[in-house]
Amino acid sequence: MAKLLLVEGDEQVRTMLGETLRDEGYDVVEAVNGREAVERYRDCPCDLVIMDIIMPEKDGVEAIHALRREFPDTKVIAISGGSPHIKGDYLLGTAQALGAIKTFAKPVDIAGLLETVEEVVGR
């Protein structure tokens, strides 16, 4: 069973995505921000990280950078709805420049996300 790290600051979105991924048979570890994500990944590396970009304490771009620096083979899918001051496309482009395999704008296309997860972890 593939292990996924789901990093999402919004509890409702995190719960919905977590339940959806578990229903598909994935082992899902959750984190509420980038700082927690890096700590959880250090404790238990996962097959794939699904990372929101706008979060408190350490945002997704910082977390992706930290993970890829420490664990260069980390596979990341980035998701973002942007913020009032920064467009989601810019944030997702930055995540992709840091090595995110794929990006999804919010609201996330669940079918597309599941397809990408399956391709990445190779079930």
Side-chain angles (χ1 to χ4, degrees), residues 14-120:
R14 189 175 61 253
T15 299
M16 184 273 302
L17 287 175
E19 288 175 2
T20 300
L21 292 164
R22 285 183 187 94
D23 287 348
E24 292 294 317
Y26 297 107
D27 180 12
V28 180
V29 176
E30 297 181 8
V32 300
N33 59 49
R35 180 194 51 77
E36 189 176 291
V38 173
E39 290 172 3
R40 289 190 190 264
Y41 195 92
R42 280 184 189 131
D43 291 341
C44 183
C46 296
D47 299 299
L48 175 65
V49 178
I50 300 171
M51 179 81 68
D52 187 21
I53 301 298
I54 302 292
M55 295 179 292
E57 291 191 48
K58 179 180 272 194
D59 67 33
V61 169
E62 293 171 305
I64 292 169
H65 184 67
L67 285 171
R68 304 249 333 137
R69 185 176 53 241
E70 197 169 333
F71 306 96
D73 295 330
T74 304
K75 295 179 179 113
V76 178
I77 294 173
I79 59 176
S80 183
S83 76
H85 306 290
I86 304 171
K87 290 186 177 186
D89 291 345
Y90 174 78
L91 295 169
L92 292 173
T94 302
Q96 200 162 25
L98 288 171
I101 312 167
K102 181 90 173 177
T103 62
F104 289 91
K106 289 182 180 177
V108 175
D109 169 16
I110 299 299
L113 177 65
L114 292 174
E115 182 179 313
T116 302
V117 169
E118 187 172 328
E119 288 172 11
V120 172

